[in-house]
């Protein structure tokens, strides 16, 4: 096993061991913290597909995170109030079923990613960053003015949604659900990266226009991975909303996009477990340093600066030693 | 019937026109040398054929109007390009560089390895760690993996050591004699081109200045239009 393999295995062991210990020790808050880290990691795994594999610096992934959150919020809101979502030609009701909510969150986020990707992938570099940021802000301001679903105040859900056979109100069971989904997303990322499609994306990222001379449609490949990326981040949004039982426009804000990007850069761009390491570190810093000072972001900024300047492979790259050429 | 036909092709880089009515025909199994001084429109012609640059006029490959196609579709139709400057995918290994371009047909990993044994020895090595000559071989191998009907080599031996140049010219000659692949070779090495090409097209100021059989190209004509 490579050094990176050991680092990844240690991360997985920690993500299994710590919540299990907390469960046995009766520390539900630690489990909630771990759940938060795992959900952030899932969102960042989504971004890492676009950023690490596709080379697309998306500064608007909060759109998908927010859409996932609002998919959950709206469906659960209608279910808890017994109000139909639509009762025109046919009837659509809300739901408290997590699998249905996830499906809706993934579909809505993927469709939004398709639309945003079609428009923004015509550009590159700083223009791509600006367009994705603009989309994020559009959704942010739209939800602020969307009074039907709480507007600026957001939307509260009274009881966490259900999953067949599980008690999702039990922190460890909800954590297990989130962790399983993170593992599935990591497996999918691994499969994509190793597939001919992943090779094509890698080649497209390196020499965007030259891939076409060997018959590859690099733009289409980037769009496909952008859609998958958006769908994964959307799923994370739905879980995050369920964790907090609350959704608000801040899920769409550029701060959220920035945080998801920080998870990826902190952990290691294009590293399979980079986003996981980044999210875990972020949540740990937020908890430990946040207790010491309200200005804990200063320390986060200093760490990020150090990573960018001295360890471009992120924390995983630093521990694994062997640099990836596109860190 | 000609495989590739260019008639009155014009192309520009913004306000600067580079091709002023380029004509070219190339038949199946034929090797054509395209020569000319720097900046005369050779690479622009290649870019127009491969749809990397918008061009006007008649561009037809195997009955397909190239002007309507996206760049990647030209490769799918069977136009393989070995671009000037190699442009290998630096972070991919030799094998990955080849596999990523692979399309079904005669050329596969083992046949490319047969043509360039050095690539087989370095199959797990990243392209960025190869020498210039090996990168050139990789660029040719990658283009062959698309199983083209026409292979365009744009300055494939430029800036390489004499021994490597000889190796590459030998491979190009083998492509012609052993596989009957159609070739459009852009180069300035008259001596080597004479051993490979059936016909020559000399380009000057964005159009054809001279065209004829390779054997009919004398030193004086070559010196006038190519400078060698």
């Amino acid at each position: 096993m490579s050094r990176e393999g050991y680092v990844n295995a240690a991360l997985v062991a920690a993500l299994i061991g710590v919540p299990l210990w907390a469960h046995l020790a009766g520390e539900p808050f630690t489990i909630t913290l771990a759940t938060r880290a795992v959900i952030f990691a899932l969102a960042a795994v989504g971004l890492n597909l676009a950023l690490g594999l596709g080379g697309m610096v998306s500064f608007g992934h909060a759109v998908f995170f927010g859409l996932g959150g609002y998919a959950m919020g709206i469906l659960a809101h209608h279910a808890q109030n017994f109000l139909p979502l639509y009762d025109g030609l046919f009837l659509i009701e809300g739901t408290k079923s997590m699998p249905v909510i996830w499906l809706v969150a993934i579909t809505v986020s993927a469709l939004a990613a398709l639309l945003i990707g079609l428009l923004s992938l015509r550009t590159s570099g700083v223009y791509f960053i600006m367009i994705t940021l603009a989309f994020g802000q559009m959704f942010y301001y739209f939800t602020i003015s969307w009074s039907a679903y709480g507007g600026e105040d957001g939307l509260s859900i009274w009881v966490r949604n259900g999953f067949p056979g599980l008690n999702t109100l039990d922190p460890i069971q909800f954590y297990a659900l989130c962790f399983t989904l993170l593992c599935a997303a990591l497996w999918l990322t691994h499969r994509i990266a190793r597939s001919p499609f992943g090779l094509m994306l890698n080649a497209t990222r390196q020499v965007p226009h030259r891939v076409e001379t060997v018959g590859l449609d690099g733009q289409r490949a980037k769009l496909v991975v952008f859609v998958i990326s958006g769908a994964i981040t959307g799923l994370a949004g739905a879980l995050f909303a369920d964790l907090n039982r609350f959704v608000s426009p801040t899920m769409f804000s550029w701060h959220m996009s920035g945080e998801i990007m920080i998870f990826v850069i902190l952990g290691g761009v294009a590293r399979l477990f980079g986003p996981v390491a980044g999210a875990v570190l972020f949540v740990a810093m937020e908890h430990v340093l946040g207790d010491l000072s309200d200005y804990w972001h200063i320390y986060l900024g200093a760490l990020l600066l150090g990573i960018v300047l001295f360890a471009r492979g992120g924390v995983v790259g630093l521990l694994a030693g062997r640099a990836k050429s596109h860190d | 019937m000609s495989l590739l036909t260019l008639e009155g092709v014009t192309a520009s880089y913004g306000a600067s026109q580079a091709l002023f009515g380029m004509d070219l025909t190339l038949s199946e199994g034929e090797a054509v040398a395209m020569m000319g001084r720097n900046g005369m429109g050779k690479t622009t012609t290649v870019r127009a054929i491969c749809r990397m640059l918008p061009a006007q006029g008649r561009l037809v490959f195997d009955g397909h109007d190239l002007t309507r196609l996206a760049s990647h579709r030209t490769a799918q139709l069977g136009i393989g390009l070995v671009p000037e400057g190699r442009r290998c995918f630096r972070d991919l290994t030799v094998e990955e560089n080849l596999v990523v371009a692979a399309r079904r047909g005669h050329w596969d990993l083992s046949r490319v390895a047969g043509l360039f044994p050095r690539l087989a020895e370095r199959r797990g090595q990243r392209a960025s760690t190869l020498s210039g000559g090996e990168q050139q071989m990789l660029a040719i191998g990658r283009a062959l993996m698309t199983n083209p009907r026409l292979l365009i080599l744009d300055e494939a031996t430029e800036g390489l050591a004499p021994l490597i140049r000889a190796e590459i010219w030998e491979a190009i000659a083998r492509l012609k004699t052993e596989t009957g692949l159609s070739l459009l070779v852009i180069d300035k090495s008259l001596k080597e081109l004479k051993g490979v090409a059936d016909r020559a097209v000399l380009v000057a100021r964005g159009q054809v200045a001279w065209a004829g059989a390779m054997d009919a190209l004398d030193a004086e004509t070559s010196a006038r239009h190519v400078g060698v």
Side-chain angles (χ1 to χ4, degrees):
Chain A
M1 198 193 281
S2 65
R3 261 176 79 179
E4 187 165 340
Y6 285 114
V7 173
N8 296 347
L11 263 170
V12 172
L15 286 174
I16 293 172
V18 171
L20 212 57
W21 164 82
H23 176 66
L24 296 172
E27 295 273 356
F29 179 68
T30 306
I31 304 174
T32 303
L33 269 186
T35 311
R36 185 176 161 83
V38 161
I39 293 171
F40 279 160
L42 182 64
V45 165
L47 177 63
N48 199 30
L49 269 172
L51 180 62
L53 208 57
M56 293 169 276
V57 186
S58 168
F59 206 31
H61 256 53
V63 168
F64 315 122
F65 196 69
L67 282 173
Y70 268 80
M72 173 274 178
I74 291 169
L75 287 169
H77 168 76
H78 282 270
Q80 74 185 8
N81 292 310
F82 304 102
L83 290 168
L85 199 61
Y86 176 77
D87 61 353
L89 293 171
F90 47 88
L91 181 71
I92 302 176
E93 292 187 277
T95 178
K96 295 286 285 177
S97 163
M98 275 191 192
V100 177
I101 287 169
W102 295 348
L103 196 66
V104 173
I106 288 171
T107 308
V108 170
S109 307
L111 286 173
L114 179 67
L115 187 71
I116 293 171
L118 276 171
L119 294 168
S120 56
L121 282 172
R122 292 164 184 266
T123 64
S124 60
V126 73
Y127 299 103
F128 181 81
I129 297 172
M130 285 297 122
I131 286 186
T132 49
L133 173 65
F135 272 111
Q137 291 305 95
M138 273 168 57
F139 277 91
Y140 174 68
Y141 285 111
F142 173 73
T143 44
I144 278 183
S145 58
W146 202 8
S147 54
Y149 294 109
E152 203 170 357
D153 297 331
L155 202 58
S156 289
I157 305 303
W158 304 327
V159 182
R160 188 171 288 158
N161 296 303
F163 188 90
L166 291 180
N167 173 17
T168 54
L169 287 171
D170 179 7
I172 195 71
Q173 293 193 43
F174 184 59
Y175 174 81
L177 209 53
C178 296
F179 181 68
T180 307
L181 288 172
L182 173 66
C183 290
L186 286 168
W187 175 82
L188 180 69
T189 305
H190 176 71
R191 294 290 298 183
I192 289 175
R194 293 291 175 96
S195 69
F197 176 68
L199 270 186
M200 180 174 157
L201 276 167
N202 206 336
T204 305
R205 196 191 63 247
Q206 291 174 47
V207 200
H209 301 296
R210 293 290 171 180
V211 289
E212 297 184 350
T213 65
V214 291
L216 305 175
D217 189 348
Q219 280 299 98
R220 183 182 286 186
K222 284 170 81 169
L223 181 61
V224 168
V225 87
F226 191 73
V227 169
I228 298 171
S229 162
I232 293 174
T233 305
L235 176 62
L239 293 173
F240 189 71
D242 242 326
L243 174 71
N244 299 323
R245 278 165 274 173
F246 175 69
V247 291
S248 77
T250 53
M251 286 184 81
F252 285 106
S253 76
W254 68 270
H255 297 95
M256 193 68 236
S257 292
E259 279 185 8
I260 300 173
M261 197 176 287
I262 286 172
F263 305 150
V264 178
I265 296 170
L266 210 55
V269 178
R271 304 268 178 177
L272 182 62
F273 275 75
V276 182
V280 168
L281 193 60
F282 182 91
V283 171
M285 285 182 74
E286 184 184 44
H287 176 60
V288 176
L289 298 176
D291 276 354
L292 301 175
S293 163
D294 286 342
Y295 306 107
W296 70 276
H297 284 93
I298 292 173
Y299 303 109
L300 175 71
L303 179 67
L304 198 64
L305 202 65
I307 292 283
V308 170
L309 289 176
F310 305 111
R312 296 189 68 189
V315 174
V316 173
L318 197 66
L319 297 172
R322 196 164 54 90
K324 278 209 168 189
S325 52
H326 50 280
D327 283 338
Chain B
M1 186 189 158
S2 84
L3 183 65
L4 176 73
T5 305
L6 270 70
E7 275 177 21
V9 173
T10 58
S12 307
Y13 294 100
S16 170
Q17 190 167 347
L19 294 184
F20 294 85
M22 175 63 72
D23 300 314
L24 177 73
T25 57
L26 194 149
S27 304
E28 190 97 52
E30 191 182 25
V32 172
M34 184 178 273
M35 305 166 76
R37 293 176 195 271
N38 288 341
M40 288 294 135
K42 304 183 299 295
T43 297
T44 305
T45 305
V46 171
R47 289 170 63 86
I49 294 169
C50 295
R51 302 294 301 136
M52 293 154 72
L53 179 73
Q56 295 74 45
R58 189 160 175 259
L59 285 103
V60 179
F61 179 77
D62 193 27
H64 297 272
D65 181 3
L66 294 177
T67 58
R68 295 171 182 276
L69 297 180
S71 183
H72 68 277
R73 286 280 296 129
T74 63
Q76 290 172 359
L77 275 180
I79 301 176
L81 172 65
V82 180
E84 191 178 13
R86 295 142 206 163
R87 308 277 181 175
C88 296
F89 304 126
R90 296 172 60 81
D91 291 347
L92 301 190
T93 64
V94 167
E95 186 169 327
E96 287 171 341
N97 261 278
L98 297 173
V99 168
V100 77
R103 302 182 71 79
R104 209 168 286 169
H106 173 80
W107 288 98
D108 55 19
L109 282 175
S110 62
R111 286 205 161 94
V112 170
L115 188 68
F116 296 119
R118 282 163 183 260
L119 293 184
E121 291 164 17
R122 287 158 174 69
R123 60 190 299 171
Q125 223 170 294
R126 281 199 180 159
S128 57
T129 65
L130 300 179
S131 69
E134 288 162 350
Q135 285 192 23
Q136 190 61 67
M137 290 172 194
L138 181 57
I140 297 173
R142 186 182 62 185
L144 288 172
M145 288 293 282
T146 66
N147 275 290
R149 291 176 64 194
L150 164 66
L151 183 66
I152 302 174
L153 297 122
D154 192 0
E155 308 277 10
T157 59
E158 192 183 31
L160 300 178
L163 274 176
I164 302 290
R165 282 167 60 94
E167 211 172 314
I168 287 173
W169 279 114
E170 190 192 322
I172 296 170
R174 279 179 63 190
L175 289 176
K176 170 82 174 17
T177 54
E178 292 175 19
T179 67
L181 186 63
S182 306
L183 299 170
L184 176 60
V185 188
I186 290 109
D187 214 289
K188 293 194 186 80
S189 316
L190 184 60
K191 187 182 148 206
E192 283 85 356
L193 281 171
K194 285 215 170 196
V196 172
D198 304 305
R199 286 194 299 120
V201 172
L202 306 192
V203 178
R205 295 187 190 88
Q207 54 191 319
V208 175
W210 185 93
M214 197 72 216
D215 295 337
L217 178 61
D218 55 45
E220 189 196 328
T221 312
S222 170
R224 188 169 354 125
H225 295 295
V226 187
V228 290

